[in-house]
Amino acid sequence: MPSSHEVEAPNDVCCRRPNGTAVGFPTTPPEDTTMTAGNTRRTTALRSRTAAVGAIAVAGALLLTGCGDQTKDNGSGSDSETTKANSAPLADKLPADIRNKGVVKVGSDIAYAPVEFKDDSGKVVGIDPDLAEALGKQLGVKFEFQNATFDTLIGGLASKRYDIAMSAMTDTKDRQEGVDADTGKKVGEGVDFVDYFTAGVSLYTNKGYDQGIKTWDDLCGKTMAVQRNTFSHDLAKDQAKKCKKDGEKALKIEDFATNPEAETRMRSKGADVVSADFPIAAYSVKNAGGGKYFEIVGDQVEAGPYGIAVSKDNTELRDAVQAAVQAIIDNGEYKKIVDKWGVADGAVTEAKINGGS
């Protein structure tokens, strides 16, 4: 399969800048974007953005950008940090070491607008950063986002690079149990999730060039560009097997490190269709090229919960995060954020632990 390095992005296409922003995307939330949550249930038991757990668990190298580790761990916080923690309603729920440092390190793939991405100044913005800021007020700490590729995030938790992973990551049984989704074999300890949002998966094409694609069964004989190790990638592989089994033309899959790179491939006519989580697809359709580049085809499928991932040996932090998510749901701050980004249809009312299946 071609790698992302083999694709040359035309000057006018939507692609990732070196700082991680997407060309043609505004860096403020859309005023009138409404992302509906209607979905079609598929037979597979997986959920969106599901990476191959085996690859994640054994990932030896974390591809971090300049965002890096911005904290200095001296074992104690400043006076201002201590005051902030003491005044926060849920500060006493945090593990003592994190409370003293005043920082929660967040692993995230910061190229997934509008969930998390960088604005023109390089600042991390989006749904997750806004929610994390609200959680920080409840817990009396700062949530610091550190950029990495999506398929290294769970490995980063295992190696203690991050305290949590917050990156449009779907809560699934495979991830909870440390099972490789492709082989069904146990490959790691797994992680716990605090669920905070719901999203499905969508197909989208170049505008005015849908080639009759309305459902996944229309993909036989087509070329799909997709971010690797996501649930969209898993669905594409499942569909390719189905095309072959049914005697249809082959579905060709090209996978890339980021979703903007997959979109670039489609813009250059190297691929016919892209699949991504519905909020990301809807945001791209509305904003890329001023809304002139892409269109969604068909309904979203397999709606499932996004979860904040925490190592299984850090139940105190998991429970603190759950309490903070529930607090911002209850006090209305959560609603303000999802309304701001036009994703209210994906809102949840309860911060469940390991609610995915």
Side-chain angles (χ1 to χ4, degrees), residues 15-225:
C15 59
R16 184 180 177 183
R17 293 194 183 103
N19 70 355
T21 62
V23 175
F25 283 178
T27 56
T28 56
E31 294 182 358
D32 61 345
T33 302
T34 301
M35 299 182 181
T36 59
N39 68 85
T40 302
R41 177 64 57 184
R42 288 173 62 83
T43 57
T44 176
L46 299 175
R47 294 295 185 268
S48 68
R49 226 178 182 204
T50 303
V53 177
I56 296 171
V58 300
L62 299 173
L63 305 179
L64 302 177
T65 70
C67 196
D69 188 343
Q70 301 171 3
T71 68
K72 293 183 178 180
D73 181 4
N74 58 8
S76 62
S78 66
D79 290 341
S80 62
E81 289 170 340
T82 302
T83 300
K84 178 181 178 182
N86 290 338
S87 65
L90 299 177
D92 61 347
K93 290 186 174 294
L94 281 170
D97 60 335
I98 291 179
R99 187 168 63 248
N100 290 338
K101 294 174 188 175
V103 171
V104 173
K105 294 180 290 184
V106 184
S108 188
D109 175 11
I110 308 173
Y112 215 54
V115 183
E116 54 264 317
F117 60 110
K118 293 182 182 180
D119 65 14
D120 290 333
S121 70
K123 179 182 178 182
V124 180
V125 296
I127 300 166
D128 281 357
D130 282 357
L131 290 173
E133 183 177 1
L135 298 179
K137 292 176 182 177
Q138 293 294 317
L139 296 168
V141 293
K142 181 179 180 181
F143 281 61
E144 289 190 348
F145 280 71
Q146 301 180 11
N147 199 10
T149 54
F150 185 77
D151 57 359
T152 66
L153 295 178
I154 289 181
L157 287 177
S159 66
K160 310 299 183 183
R161 171 70 67 176
Y162 319 117
D163 300 309
I164 65 173
M166 190 174 186
S167 191
M169 183 179 291
T170 299
D171 172 2
T172 68
K173 288 295 184 185
D174 282 342
R175 283 199 179 118
Q176 294 168 23
E177 298 170 359
V179 171
D180 187 310
D182 287 335
T183 66
K185 294 181 179 179
K186 178 83 171 176
V187 293
E189 293 302 315
V191 295
D192 285 334
F193 288 98
V194 177
D195 298 341
Y196 68 100
F197 192 74
T198 299
V201 175
S202 289
L203 298 171
Y204 55 116
T205 66
N206 287 320
K207 197 163 189 175
Y209 192 63
D210 66 16
Q211 302 172 82
I213 298 172
K214 299 298 180 185
T215 72
W216 285 78
D217 287 334
D218 297 325
L219 297 178
C220 301
K222 302 295 193 295
T223 298
M224 172 182 279

Side-chain angles (χ1 to χ4, degrees), residues 217-283:
D217 287 334
D218 297 325
L219 297 178
C220 301
K222 302 295 193 295
T223 298
M224 172 182 279
V226 66
Q227 183 176 5
R228 70 176 59 101
N229 291 332
T230 61
F231 182 51
S232 290
H233 194 186
D234 289 334
L235 280 181
K237 289 185 285 188
D238 288 343
Q239 185 61 42
K241 292 176 183 177
K242 187 174 186 298
C243 292
K244 183 177 181 180
K245 179 180 178 182
D246 293 345
E248 301 285 347
K249 292 181 179 179
L251 165 61
K252 182 180 179 182
I253 304 167
E254 297 186 1
D255 60 279
F256 300 87
T258 68
N259 197 66
E261 290 170 317
E263 292 178 348
T264 295
R265 182 63 167 166
M266 182 169 67
R267 278 283 296 152
S268 65
K269 300 295 180 69
D272 302 307
V273 63
V274 168
S275 176
D277 287 2
F278 178 72
I280 285 73
Y283 190 85

